Amino acid sequence: MMASKEKHTLKSRKAARIETEITVPPDKSISHRAVLLASLSNGACTITNFLEGEDCQSTAKAMRQLGIFIESPEPGTLVVVGNSGRFTKAFGDIDCGNSGTTMRLMAGILSAQGFRSRMIGDDSLSKRPMQRVIDPLREMGAELSAEGTKSCPPLCIEGDRELHGITYRLPVASAQVKSAVLLAGLFAKGTTTVIENVRSRDHTERMFEFFLIKTKREEIWENPNSPKNRRLLEVRTTIEGGQIPESRDFAVPGDISSAAFWLVASAAQPGSRLLVKDVGLNPTRTGIIDVLIRMGARIREVIETSLHGEPIGNIDIKGTTLQATTICGAEIPNVIDEIPVIAVAAALANGTTIIRDAAELRVKETDRIAAVASNLRAMGVTVEEFPDGMAITGGSPLKGAKLPCHGDHRIAMAFAVAGLFAEGETIIEDTACVNTSYPGFAEALRHIQKGGHIKGSTPVLSGFKTPTP
């Protein structure tokens, strides 16, 4: 297996038995937010284990354009000198590259500045709709508009408007929209409350608390006193305007979304053993573990510490023959980034796996539902596509193929993993996009493919989670 830098391809073949340990890159979602909160703070912050992928670099570059001093004394470390939420007008357009997180979260911040801003992106980002973030910010008094068709970028923000707090119920679970509203709420008069019917990832709320921004979070349950029958009805997050984050140093944990590729590779290989070390175990991000356990994998997660509000630990996984499952409803926001590689797990499992309520995948870096279905079919898998998901019938041998990734890093990496189980060679084309989230993926792929042995003594098998009958 090798990666060609000249042609930006990934090539993979059937893997040897996996018996190894790995670490994964820093968390992408948290790295974005760390730069933003540090830039909004009242002084110097040092961010360690920062993800140096292209998406997070887009956020750092955007803050530099707005007058924030950011330097990198060594790889993976940023020193950010915040200016208490007061920025200077950028010279020219703010280029968000491929990063929807950068554009959507920055929209909340720029809506409260005293100058006009224009954010642009690459071809892929320019096809991603922004209406879901435009609507609540307009309710707060912001003036912003999308210049592209169907509310797509470039995104223009006047910025010289006074914002007021609102109570906003998210029509669709989205951590990016929630974060944009809460960031705008820091500058708004009065109280801002975001209501979710389904809990999305909560990194922004945790980081607010770490940077000493006062927040209030409430969970409303149906049948709260019945563990078996209780159901989460809504989550409310409230902040008061006028707060300035306190400058504090921050360390970013490993990214469980990056670990997901190797968790699936190990889970689907009977007799394999993988230890993923020092990874974030935020409960709003660990849905991939729940899905793989339902499919039959034996997994033990051990939280070793809580670093700056985020639980961190190890994941120990033992592979087996996977079985089909259903993924839908409230579980979807917790696994939305992992669905491409979960679809690969489904192709390797016995039976038909159903994925529904995931229409958001249609407007990611590419139409991920269509891209996953097309590539799986090219590898010999039967797939039925729905507007909001797909049905994948697994258990048949995969065959190697030459596959496009449509400029989508998660499609590229998911099908590199599929290639570890296919007969013949699998080639994924135009994979430069992988650097947006996982620099070094090709090297990790080589390591996984060769197998190897877990360093030190093999962990004890007791304590593994197994599927509930």
Side-chain angles (χ1 to χ4, degrees):
M1 190 287 306
M2 65 177 290
S4 169
K5 292 183 180 179
E6 289 79 12
K7 295 184 179 180
H8 297 295
T9 61
L10 285 169
K11 300 180 181 181
S12 61
R13 288 182 176 272
K14 187 166 286 190
R17 180 181 175 186
I18 298 169
E19 191 175 3
T20 190
E21 68 178 37
I22 62 169
T23 57
V24 291
D27 190 284
K28 180 182 171 188
S29 294
I30 297 175
S31 292
H32 279 298
R33 289 159 171 80
V35 172
L36 294 177
L37 268 293
S39 298
L40 289 166
S41 78
N42 60 4
C45 308
T46 299
I47 303 170
T48 53
N49 201 38
F50 174 77
L51 177 62
E52 295 189 317
E54 293 172 3
D55 277 8
C56 295
Q57 292 288 4
S58 291
T59 297
K61 290 176 184 176
M63 300 316 297
R64 288 189 180 103
Q65 279 188 264
L66 293 166
I68 298 299
F69 175 82
I70 301 176
E71 67 172 355
S72 180
E74 59 185 31
T77 298
L78 292 185
V79 176
V80 182
V81 181
N83 199 23
S84 300
R86 298 186 297 273
F87 301 107
T88 56
K89 180 178 173 61
F91 180 77
D93 295 334
I94 297 171
D95 189 353
C96 300
N98 185 248
S99 177
T101 301
T102 302
M103 184 170 287
R104 291 190 176 104
L105 270 61
M106 289 281 293
I109 294 171
L110 292 173
S111 290
Q113 302 303 312
F115 49 80
R116 187 177 188 272
S117 301
R118 184 173 185 265
M119 292 191 286
I120 62 173
D122 65 8
D123 289 343
S124 174
L125 181 56
S126 297
K127 297 174 184 175
R128 298 178 67 180
M130 294 290 142
Q131 196 65 46
R132 282 192 295 174
V133 75
I134 291 173
D135 288 342
L137 293 176
R138 282 179 175 169
E139 285 189 33
M140 299 179 78
E143 184 175 340
L144 66 169
S145 60
E147 294 181 357
T149 59
K150 297 181 180 179
S151 301
C152 291
L155 189 61
C156 295
I157 305 171
E158 294 307 322
D160 58 349
R161 305 294 188 268
E162 185 174 84
L163 303 187
H164 56 266
I166 61 171
T167 296
Y168 186 73
R169 185 180 294 273
L170 291 173
V172 177
S174 171
Q176 292 181 2
V177 176
K178 173 177 63 175
S179 297
V181 174
L182 292 174
L183 287 166
L186 289 176
F187 300 91
K189 285 189 174 182
T191 300
T192 298
T193 299
V194 178
I195 304 172
E196 303 175 274
N197 294 330
V198 176
R199 183 190 289 111
S200 64
R201 60 183 62 177
D202 64 358
H203 300 304
T204 298
E205 299 95 303
R206 288 173 181 261
M207 292 183 72
F208 273 12
E209 292 173 6
F210 176 75
F211 282 91
L212 304 183
I213 296 170
K214 294 180 180 179
T215 63
K216 181 180 180 182
R217 285 196 277 177
E218 299 175 278
E219 295 182 350
I220 311 300
W221 294 85
E222 182 180 65
N223 302 317
N225 298 320
S226 175
K228 290 185 178 181
N229 298 319
R230 75 174 191 160
R231 181 173 67 91
L232 184 64
L233 297 177
E234 63 183 39
V235 181
R236 292 173 169 258
T237 304
T238 300
I239 64 168
E240 293 291 334
Q243 299 187 70
I244 296 173
E246 188 71 27
S247 59
R248 304 183 76 185
D249 296 340
F250 189 88
V252 180
D255 195 330
I256 194 167
S257 292
S258 295
F261 301 104
W262 315 126
L263 294 176
V264 166
S266 181
Q269 188 188 72
S272 72
R273 192 65 180 280
L274 180 68
L275 182 66
V276 184
K277 302 186 71 176
D278 303 323
V279 66
L281 294 174
N282 183 310
T284 65
R285 294 284 299 282
T286 54
I288 179 68
I289 294 175
D290 298 330
V291 169
L292 291 176
I293 288 171
R294 285 206 310 272
M295 298 180 81
R298 299 180 67 191
I299 298 178
R300 179 177 60 184
E301 54 180 314
V302 180
I303 297 175
E304 295 190 329
T305 185
S306 181
L307 183 64
H308 301 166
E310 293 284 347
I312 298 173
N314 300 331
I315 302 172
D316 198 355
I317 181 168
K318 184 177 181 182
T320 186
T321 301
L322 298 181
Q323 306 299 320
T325 189
T326 297
I327 306 158
C328 61
E331 187 172 40
I332 289 295
N334 204 328
V335 296
I336 195 69
D337 285 342
E338 291 76 54
I339 285 178
V341 77
I342 288 173
V344 171
L348 299 167
N350 291 328
T352 299
T353 293
I354 306 295
I355 300 171
R356 299 302 299 254
D357 303 317
E360 183 182 347
L361 292 174
R362 297 283 188 187
V363 291
K364 289 289 188 178
E365 282 82 341
T366 188
D367 180 338
R368 285 183 177 166
I369 293 174
V372 166
S374 176
N375 283 358
L376 285 178
R377 291 186 186 113
M379 299 186 82
V381 181
T382 299
V383 183
E384 181 183 359
E385 190 175 331
F386 310 128
D388 65 342
M390 61 195 102
I392 302 164
T393 300
S396 299
L398 301 187
K399 60 182 182 181
K402 183 177 288 187
L403 304 170
C405 72
H406 307 282
D408 189 318
H409 56 126
R410 299 200 189 278
I411 299 294
M413 292 184 280
F415 283 92
V417 170
L420 298 175
F421 297 86
E423 296 297 331
E425 187 174 59
T426 298
I427 301 173
I428 301 94
E429 300 176 305
D430 300 321
T431 57
C433 55
V434 168
N435 285 327
T436 63
S437 66
Y438 200 149
F441 176 82
E443 290 76 11
L445 185 64
R446 280 195 290 270
H447 177 69
I448 290 292
Q449 181 171 275
K450 292 177 181 178
H453 295 284
I454 292 177
K455 300 174 185 177
S457 59
T458 302
V460 180
L461 282 174
S462 62
F464 279 75
K465 297 179 181 178
T466 55
T468 302

